[in-house]
Amino acid sequence: TQAPVNVTVTGAAGQIGYALLFRVASGQLLGPDTPVKLRLLEIPQAVKAAEGTALELEDGAFGLLAGIDIFDDAKQAFSGANVALLVGARPRTKGMERGDLLEANGGIFKPQGEAINAGAAEDVKVLVVGNPANTNALIAQSHAPDVPAERFTAMTRLDHNRALAQLAKKTGTPVGEIRKLTIWGNHSATQYPDVFHAEVAGRNAAEVVNDRTWLAEEFIPTVAKRGAAIIEARGASSAASAASAAIDHVYTWVNGTPEGDWTSMAVPSDGSYGVPEGLISSFPVTTRDGRYEIVQGLDLNEFSRERVDASVGELTEEREAVRSLGLV
Ligand code: NAX
């Protein structure tokens, strides 16, 4: 077997952390041949709860879990990190304006970016889950100038998986027979789940569905507002499904997309599809040997173009806002 891979998880005592850590420890993040060392980061008040989770992880007797260390200091937590899962963030609370939210998160993601820059492993891969995920990733990235920019990604895989499930239900097809679905833009209500290039059992998904009203009035809003529906039903925000998507995101990044398929990841734009360079926006990507590439040459129809532009417009505004706060 290989040497253990260091996986740093922030917000380890939170509800996503609780679901995520057991799956990392069981080998689902990196595969069944890769031992992992967990490095947990929490705020001081939550360190005790993280210690409790660590006791339970110990009780899981995971053969691949080579150790657990808990920190309340970002520099220590990210030291030697090969994979960094940035889950902890400042949620929006009542009466908070967007500027306040971005500023509060700047206070988290700026020092974490600096800590990654200072001490993470050469090959570090970063996934930001904590919201506003795309812009938090941008903040962290801009404080890690020595780390290749493309290593900073944000999670739209939960949106991708939600869209797969909705399309499977609508078409009566197993999820495993759906390919080439795309989430474009921001992980927010403006995101655009695109079925026009997707395939359902080898046939074009938009043709199989053949119902733009369903797309515009059911499918897109159901996917985009699923987080609110989960809160309404469960009395708490999505946790296990978010953890599952984080596992999928990193597993796919490391192990590759299947031939003839792609996935969705929010990654720094290279200008593809008219998305301003540097914005961390969701694209269709293929992965191979630990690298990803934005799928090129897709034709966006008018229906898609206006929705991609709206979500990218929101990302542009968020970037302007964090620029004016001096966070990037
Ligand atoms: P919780 O509030 O249960 O947990 C967050 C944890 O982060 C807490 O334990 C807190 O102490 C910790 N934390 C806060 N600041 C920290 C810091 N500076 N360093 C280390 N830890 C810190 O939230 P949870 O439900 O686990 O959600 C975590 C984040 O994921 C939220 O921002 C949430 O909005 C976001 N989500 C993102 C999703 C996505 O698809 N990108 C979907 C699910 C989720 O809503």
Side-chain angles (χ1 to χ4, degrees), residues 28-228:
Q28 290 173 297
L29 185 77
L30 298 168
D33 301 321
T34 310
V36 291
K37 268 196 172 157
L38 284 170
R39 302 178 70 79
L40 311 184
L41 178 65
E42 259 297 349
I43 54 174
Q45 310 88 284
V47 162
K48 188 148 183 273
E51 285 168 355
T53 304
L55 295 179
E56 283 202 73
L57 284 163
E58 204 179 305
D59 296 347
F62 295 106
L64 289 172
L65 184 56
I68 310 172
D69 291 296
I70 303 172
F71 305 95
D72 63 7
D73 174 78
K75 287 252 154 58
Q76 290 177 344
F78 288 109
S79 172
N82 304 103
V83 177
L85 306 175
L86 277 52
V87 178
R90 176 69 206 274
R92 190 191 285 259
T93 42
K94 226 176 174 169
M96 213 177 187
E97 299 292 333
R98 187 175 67 171
D100 303 331
L101 180 74
L102 293 171
E103 193 158 26
N105 278 292
I108 295 173
F109 288 88
K110 177 177 176 214
Q112 292 186 358
E114 289 166 350
I116 289 168
N117 199 55
E122 282 283 287
D123 67 347
V124 68
K125 290 181 167 61
V126 182
L127 167 62
V128 176
V129 174
N131 282 320
N134 302 53
T135 296
N136 287 342
L138 186 70
I139 295 170
Q141 181 208 64
S142 72
H143 295 281
D146 304 331
V147 177
E150 75 270 11
R151 306 286 187 75
F152 285 82
T153 68
M155 189 166 93
T156 50
R157 186 62 173 265
L158 178 56
D159 308 302
H160 181 95
N161 288 347
R162 286 167 170 167
L164 281 177
Q166 293 302 319
L167 188 58
K169 210 154 71 169
K170 171 74 173 174
T171 58
T173 315
V175 166
E177 288 192 34
I178 302 181
R179 312 215 189 295
K180 298 184 177 174
L181 197 98
T182 306
I183 304 292
W184 298 92
N186 200 1
H187 167 69
S188 78
T190 67
Q191 65 174 269
Y192 172 51
D194 175 3
V195 304
F196 286 98
H197 302 95
E199 294 167 5
V200 173
R203 292 178 57 207
N204 179 272
E207 285 167 21
V208 173
V209 169
N210 195 23
D211 185 352
R212 289 229 180 165
T213 310
W214 179 79
L215 283 181
E217 291 172 19
E218 300 280 338
F219 175 73
I220 296 169
T222 299
V223 173
K225 294 180 190 161
R226 186 70 164 183

Side-chain angles (χ1 to χ4, degrees), residues 267-273 275-279 283 293-294 296:
V267 303
S269 176
D270 58 0
S272 295
Y273 300 99
V275 180
E277 215 175 316
L279 283 183
F283 287 100
E293 273 177 39
I294 297 173
Q296 294 299 321

